[in-house]
Amino acid sequence: MRKTALSEEILLQVEKPARYIGNEVNSVVKNREDVAVRFAMCFPDVYEIGMSHLGIQILYSMFNSWEDVWCERVYSPWTDLDRIMREQDIPLFGLESQEPVKEMDFLGITLQYEMCYTNILQILELSQIPLQATERGEDMPVVIGGGPCTYNPEPIADFFDLFYIGEGETQYRRLLDWYVENRKQGGTRQEFLRGAAQIPGIYVPQFYEELYHEDGTISGRRKLYEELPDRVRKEIVTDVSDTYYPLKPVVPFIKVTQDRVVLEIQRGCIRGCRFCQAGQIYRPVRERDAEVLKKYAVEMLANTGHEEISLSSLSSSDYSRLDELLEFLIEECGRKHINISLPSLRIDAFSLDVMSKVQDVKKSSLTFAPEAGSQRLRDVINKGLTEEVILKGSALAFEGGWTRVKLYFMLGLPTETEEDIRGIGELSNKIAATFFETVPKDRRVNGKVQIVTSTSFFIPKPFTPFQWASMCTKEEFLEKAYQTKKGIMEQLNQKSIKYNWHEADVSVLEGVFARGDRRIAKVILEAYRRGCLFDSWSEYFKNDVWLQCFEDCGVDIGFYTTRERADDEIFPWDFIDCGITRQFLLKEWKKAQEGVVSPNCQTQCQGCGAGTFQCGICPTAS
Amino acid sequence: MKIRIKFSKYGTMKYIGHLDMMRFFQKAIRRAGIDVRYSEGFSPHQIMSFAAPLGVGMESCGEYMDIEVLSMTTAQEMKEALNRVMVEGVEILSVSILPDHVQNAMASVAAASYLLQKKEGDYPVDELTGKLEAFLAQETIPYTKETKKGVKELNLKEGIYELEAESNRAIRMLVNASSSGNIKPGMVMDAFSAFAGVEIPPSAYRIIKLETYMDPAANGKDRQGSHKLIPLDAVQ
């Protein structure tokens, strides 16, 4: 019978014990004697969030498809169990074997958002693994980081032995083979790390030192060994139709955020919005074959019993065979009573037709992400959505019976003026007006339209044209939110518009981490020591503690957020080669300041550099 | 066609709550390829009802649920198909086709039997089992039930049909489990420990539901007199 790492007394005392027992359908249990490598794969947040992540499921199924590897899952224990584990000195464990993480060979941690950084320390500490990579003994697991935040790993570099830059499908086999080989030869941990540094996509931070100018900016990097690469190039899968895919994903017992089959239809995005990191680092666009996807859908639904399926990509409307794929899914899922959850599609006659087939029009809402209130600012950020398109789409939708519209904007974008902010209220108002013009009184369901306008705060991210941009202070953000609210209140249809805005504190902190360097690590460690954890959960976010830690550590927040950066400043992440050239990003940054748009990858290649991967949409591929 | 499914729930599955068990079975029924009937509307759901929710922490070898199917081969094949898609800790024990006139599982429940096994610990359960008879012989068995609305005074006497020591390590009981007079085994143990003057914490014993019963003669009402109880899947 299955054992549990936690006693019955503990399991009956904590909230949702199902987070910690494993045993889910399609979870993989192997015989520990039969495997050469044990890999703990961690998402450093609570189970329900971590279980919803496709990337982990892909790697979990890839690792476990290899006979000599056993991959298990690890998530952050919630605060109730965290306290008990510390009190009773219980080591963190893998869900499948229920055995301590510290007994395994690797601990892989996916870094999906900056606000999980204190949770990394929680995972390490509860696992009883030293927090600093250089303090880990020979018998400790190799701690490896992956995911989007590794495109600037420097703020957390001290805590990791390795970072894997790019898509995991390509080099893990080689890394694990080298690990086994080194162990056979009686090699040390250091020898393993030196060999690993030679593998494409692998970065070993402790072999490099960050050097600074007197003004605090980076002057360069020093490497410990001659043979180390100066730059680490991201890894990508060139043929996404012929690679690993989790056809038997783990099915959780408890309801999780993404409780459905997820079909990843493509990677990358043709759009090139200048604020968007994903749009740059995942280039080039690579579509997955529609026939392959249809087969996956049928198999995954049969293997999981999920009652819902959704498509995943950065911009599903750009997938060339979307109509064919959706037609198949509507037919297949209709017969099997499976719901289709549509990603945000560009609103046009086609998508409205599809939406009306799969959702209850009266209950669902339309989503537009204009991101900026005026055409001028939308040109600056290269968001190719015009007011005309939004109003036309809304009119079509209102005729079709929809009455709810969600609008997403960003505040604090480069060059933003008060007029741009007023534009948010004006556009919201025009959409409401379109409803009253389009739908005659006697046909109005509930008699009204509901516009929900939300703003988030702009955070400059590495490897985007805005990596040079100055970020606003908290006070500036709040002033902008106030102006937005005031602008909406002045509108004729203000009663139809609801306004939501994000917290400014956490955005400022995210801004520090996003473009931070190695000097940030001590602040993260200090904040964790003072009780910061689950910072992405607003009820646990302790802004005052964070601010005190920055002050006590002598780290100036403004240096990382509001400071203007010179064109030739060396950034902490410059040693990473994500395919996109700095020259291209700088050109885009200049164009942004002039308000000049760039055509998308489909229309005309902009020579960003991703063509060197020789795959996907890039003209050099053919 | 109405189908009654009997299953067990044990081991780590005791930490899975009632609503999650329903979700588990909805997915399992789809994995097993059973031609289950769905409700109408934009978000159709399977026609499914459980006899009685089992509390988190309890195990059972007598759980029941009813579903409706549009087509099927044999009950045996459905049982095998379901068992192929189960996890460790849930086993399908029987699948029976119900006559149309039969009430659903939830409405049918009259009683349930439980086994309470002593776990490791230094409380004097061994000598206590000797006091069971005297406990049951009381005129009334008072129990104070705390609900969200306040406290309620109950008399458990009429709802405890059988109570005996199985060995000096286990107690077996048969109690009212109908919707109107449901008695949880923990309530009996609380009343008993008060009677015996000894503190017995809920963590001191493991609870296993042995069987869920219906009373064919009572027609959904509380059990009167000495009607014969039959397991929910013994319905004809």
Side-chain angles (χ1 to χ4, degrees):
Chain A
M1 190 133 69
R2 267 187 75 77
K3 54 175 183 171
T4 52
L6 302 169
S7 69
E8 178 171 0
E9 194 191 346
I10 294 173
L11 284 167
L12 288 178
Q13 183 185 338
V14 297
E15 200 185 308
K16 301 192 187 170
R19 288 165 171 166
Y20 311 113
I21 60 174
N23 196 35
E24 303 97 324
V25 169
N26 296 336
S27 60
V28 179
V29 175
K30 295 191 180 185
N31 193 341
R32 64 186 337 224
E33 277 78 37
D34 296 344
V35 296
V37 179
R38 295 185 65 181
F39 200 113
M41 180 64 79
C42 170
F43 192 111
D45 206 321
V46 74
Y47 178 91
E48 294 92 309
I49 304 285
M51 275 297 286
S52 305
H53 185 247
L54 177 65
I56 291 239
Q57 296 265 16
I58 292 176
L59 294 180
Y60 180 82
S61 87
M62 176 185 81
F63 280 129
N64 284 321
S65 74
W66 297 333
E67 233 172 67
D68 60 335
V69 181
W70 184 10
C71 178
E72 307 188 35
R73 293 159 300 139
V74 177
Y75 302 104
S76 286
W78 191 240
T79 51
D80 54 353
L81 180 61
D82 175 282
R83 188 178 42 80
I84 293 171
M85 290 177 81
R86 285 169 203 273
E87 278 167 11
Q88 304 189 16
D89 206 24
I90 301 168
L92 187 61
F93 50 90
L95 290 184
E96 281 73 3
S97 69
Q98 298 279 311
E99 288 167 356
V101 170
K102 65 179 171 189
E103 291 171 14
M104 301 183 194
D105 301 292
F106 285 88
L107 168 59
I109 303 179
T110 183
L111 307 164
Q112 294 295 319
Y113 31 84
E114 289 84 359
M115 298 318 292
C116 74
Y117 287 174
T118 52
N119 280 57
I120 298 168
L121 299 177
Q122 177 213 28
I123 295 287
L124 291 171
E125 189 162 66
L126 291 181
S127 298
Q128 303 174 355
I129 296 171
L131 302 184
Q132 305 286 337
T134 50
E135 288 169 14
R136 287 175 200 142
E138 290 293 322
D139 56 341
M140 280 294 154
V142 174
V143 180
I144 180 163
C149 293
T150 61
Y151 285 89
N152 177 21
E154 295 307 275
I156 44 171
D158 290 356
F159 313 129
F160 285 85
D161 297 299
L162 305 173
F163 287 103
Y164 184 125
I165 316 289
E167 294 170 358
E169 292 95 331
T170 55
Q171 295 295 341
Y172 262 119
R173 187 65 257 186
R174 192 164 155 195
L175 182 71
L176 299 195
D177 284 343
W178 162 238
Y179 176 81
V180 173
E181 172 71 21
N182 183 62
R183 190 173 53 190
K184 251 187 222 153
Q185 292 170 359
T188 62
R189 189 181 184 89
Q190 278 294 305
E191 283 164 331
F192 166 71
L193 294 178
R194 276 187 77 167
Q198 298 298 319
I199 297 174
I202 301 295
Y203 167 50
V204 186
Q206 60 181 267
F207 293 160
Y208 300 83
E209 194 188 343
E210 215 171 49
L211 307 169
Y212 310 101
H213 289 298
E214 243 170 61
D215 67 359
T217 56
I218 293 171
S219 61
R221 287 164 69 86
R222 184 186 297 141
K223 53 184 185 182
L224 242 59
Y225 305 108
E226 198 46 45
E227 88 269 9
L228 294 169
D230 293 314
R231 301 190 77 201
V232 181
R233 185 165 163 91
K234 84 164 177 196
E235 277 296 304
I236 67 163
V237 177
T238 50
D239 181 359
V240 292
S241 299
D242 181 22
T243 181
Y244 301 93
Y245 204 73
L247 297 179
K248 292 180 85 176
V250 178
V251 183
F253 290 117
I254 54 175
K255 211 160 169 40
V256 299
T257 315
Q258 181 95 251
D259 192 23
R260 51 185 76 94
V261 165
V262 180
L263 272 188
E264 187 194 39
I265 59 176
Q266 59 187 355
R267 288 191 185 165
C269 178
I270 60 170
R271 298 279 146 185
C273 299
R274 291 177 179 135
F275 55 84
C276 178
Q277 189 188 39
Q280 302 291 340
I281 61 177
Y282 299 134
R283 288 182 175 206
V285 170
R286 290 147 291 155
E287 292 196 347
R288 193 165 266 145
D289 182 70
E291 296 309 316
V292 170
L293 287 170
K294 290 177 198 171
K295 200 174 123 259
Y296 285 178
V298 173
E299 275 186 53
M300 290 173 79
L301 286 169
N303 289 338
T304 57
H306 279 312
E307 60 189 358
E308 192 165 286
I309 186 166
S310 80
L311 306 183
S312 162
S313 80
L314 292 167
S315 172
S316 299
S317 289
D318 293 326
Y319 180 66
S320 65
R321 290 169 74 185
L322 184 69
D323 46 352
E324 179 195 339
L325 181 63
L326 283 175
E327 198 182 311
F328 172 84
L329 289 177
I330 288 169
E331 156 74 23
E332 178 75 13
C333 297
R335 271 191 296 119
K336 294 180 179 166
H337 302 277
I338 308 280
N339 300 320
I340 301 174
S341 139
L342 288 175
S344 351
L345 295 173
R346 217 168 21 250
I347 303 301
D348 54 23
F350 164 72
S351 63
L352 289 172
D353 177 52
V354 170
M355 285 161 70
S356 66
K357 281 181 191 153
V358 305
Q359 354 175 294
D360 187 346
V361 170
K362 280 187 284 267
K363 285 183 191 150
S364 61
S365 57
L366 301 174
T367 305
F368 292 102
E371 307 292 2
S374 70
Q375 195 56 49
R376 186 200 71 80
L377 193 50
R378 283 195 291 273
D379 289 347
V380 168
I381 63 176
N382 205 37
K383 182 87 195 182
L385 188 60
T386 64
E387 183 173 301
E388 197 197 341
V389 169
I390 295 171
L391 295 182
K392 244 187 195 165
S394 307
L396 262 177
F398 294 146
E399 277 167 16
W402 274 271
T403 58
R404 282 192 243 186
V405 179
K406 283 190 210 157
L407 296 172
Y408 291 101
F409 295 93
M410 259 186 268
L411 291 173
L413 287 162
T415 78
E416 184 183 59
T417 64
E418 285 185 27
E419 208 182 316
D420 299 315
I421 294 176
R422 262 200 308 279
I424 294 174
E426 286 163 7
L427 182 57
S428 306
N429 186 61
K430 281 179 194 164
I431 295 172
T434 303
F435 174 82
F436 296 113
E437 286 158 20
T438 320
V439 187
K441 245 186 187 152
D442 57 311
R443 278 180 44 214
R444 287 176 200 165
V445 189
N446 314 325
K448 58 185 177 187
V449 61
Q450 201 183 80
I451 316 276
V452 180
T453 299
S454 303
T455 59
S456 62
F457 297 117
F458 165 66
I459 301 165
K461 295 275 166 117
F463 293 113
T464 65
F466 290 168
Q467 62 180 352
W468 284 274
S470 163
M471 184 176 158
C472 295
T473 62
K474 175 188 169 183
E475 290 70 28
E476 287 166 339
F477 276 144
L478 293 177
E479 172 60 24
K480 284 168 190 290
Y482 172 72
Q483 282 179 26
T484 310
K485 189 169 179 59
K486 211 170 116 223
I488 288 172
M489 297 295 281
E490 286 165 3
Q491 300 301 321
L492 188 64
N493 296 305
Q494 52 112 341
K495 280 191 177 155
S496 305
I497 308 166
K498 187 176 182 291
Y499 176 51
N500 298 321
W501 68 94
H502 275 237
E503 294 287 323
D505 298 332
V506 73
S507 301
V508 169
L509 205 57
E510 197 182 320
V512 175
F513 296 158
R515 293 191 292 174
D517 52 39
R518 290 200 176 179
R519 290 166 293 188
I520 301 295
K522 60 175 181 290
V523 186
I524 297 171
L525 183 60
E526 187 57 29
Y528 172 71
R529 289 272 176 249
R530 296 188 198 175
C532 289
L533 194 64
F534 287 106
D535 296 300
S536 61
W537 296 73
S538 55
E539 66 267 45
Y540 287 103
F541 180 64
K542 297 172 181 156
N543 193 52
D544 46 341
V545 177
W546 273 105
L547 294 183
Q548 193 60 51
C549 288
F550 273 99
E551 202 182 315
D552 294 351
C553 293
V555 175
D556 173 25
I557 289 178
F559 179 82
Y560 296 98
T561 54
T562 54
R563 187 171 58 88
E564 299 272 357
R565 282 140 167 98
D567 289 353
D568 60 353
E569 178 173 332
I570 298 174
F571 295 135
W573 54 91
D574 276 349
F575 72 95
I576 291 175
D577 171 10
C578 77
I580 313 301
T581 63
R582 189 173 162 123
Q583 197 186 351
F584 166 77
L585 294 174
L586 192 60
K587 194 175 81 191
E588 282 290 301
W589 174 226
K590 301 291 175 196
K591 282 171 89 173
Q593 284 159 317
E594 291 157 14
V596 178
V597 297
S598 292
N600 69 47
C601 301
Q602 190 86 62
T603 317
Q604 192 195 355
C605 174
Q606 297 298 294
C608 70
T612 52
F613 290 109
Q614 303 208 336
C615 62
I617 196 171
C618 294
T620 47
S622 45
Chain B
M1 217 174 331
K2 288 183 187 173
I3 306 293
R4 181 156 295 169
I5 296 167
K6 180 182 187 181
F7 63 95
S8 61
K9 186 182 173 204
Y10 56 90
T12 55
M13 290 303 288
K14 71 179 167 194
Y15 302 110
I16 307 299
H18 175 63
L19 290 175
D20 293 328
M21 280 308 284
M22 287 184 71
R23 282 166 21 85
F24 168 78
F25 272 112
Q26 284 160 5
K27 290 177 199 284
I29 282 168
R30 276 191 289 266
R31 286 196 300 274
I34 289 167
D35 189 14
V36 65
R37 219 187 102 201
Y38 283 81
S39 66
E40 305 293 321
F42 257 104
S43 42
H45 58 268
Q46 298 175 6
I47 309 287
M48 173 186 282
S49 76
F50 276 56
L54 186 71
V56 170
M58 280 164 73
E59 297 172 88
S60 174
C61 41
E63 289 303 289
Y64 289 93
M65 61 182 235
D66 291 351
I67 60 169
E68 284 184 35
V69 296
L70 298 172
S71 69
M72 67 180 290
T73 53
T74 64
Q76 181 61 25
E77 273 179 39
M78 188 184 287
K79 181 183 154 187
E80 284 162 13
L82 280 169
N83 271 327
R84 277 194 293 273
V85 298
M86 288 295 113
V87 292
E88 183 181 322
V90 188
E91 192 189 340
I92 306 301
L93 302 174
S94 80
V95 170
S96 7
I97 300 168
L98 295 179
D100 281 344
H101 65 271
V102 170
Q103 278 186 314
N104 73 37
M106 195 190 291
S108 307
V109 174
S113 55
Y114 297 92
L115 189 68
L116 279 65
Q117 284 177 336
K118 179 199 161 187
K119 290 198 288 198
E120 297 309 309
D122 52 357
Y123 44 89
V125 164
D126 298 13
E127 58 176 273
L128 285 173
T129 51
K131 297 183 178 168
L132 280 174
E133 224 168 292
F135 170 69
L136 201 55
Q138 296 175 94
E139 198 94 330
T140 62
I141 301 179
Y143 177 80
T144 312
K145 191 179 179 182
E146 283 176 41
T147 64
K148 280 172 199 146
K149 287 177 193 158
V151 263
K152 204 173 153 190
E153 295 298 330
L154 298 177
N155 175 15
L156 302 185
K157 171 85 179 176
E158 280 175 15
I160 303 175
Y161 306 142
E162 291 168 20
L163 182 66
E164 63 196 10
E166 183 104 314
S167 64
N168 58 10
R169 300 188 57 84
I171 292 168
R172 205 185 144 280
M173 63 175 80
L174 177 70
V175 294
N176 187 338
S178 71
S179 53
S180 56
N182 184 36
I183 291 178
K184 292 178 188 165
M187 291 159 65
V188 179
M189 286 306 280
D190 285 351
F192 176 61
S193 63
F195 169 80
V198 182
E199 187 94 359
I200 308 175
S203 59
Y205 46 88
R206 170 185 176 199
I207 305 176
I208 306 158
K209 190 197 274 183
L210 298 174
E211 183 58 274
T212 311
Y213 296 95
M214 59 188 287
D215 179 356
N219 204 16
K221 295 195 191 76
D222 275 0
R223 186 173 183 244
Q224 304 289 327
S226 57
H227 286 161
K228 194 170 160 253
L229 291 170
I230 60 166
L232 279 189
D233 64 344
V235 63
Q236 291 299 316

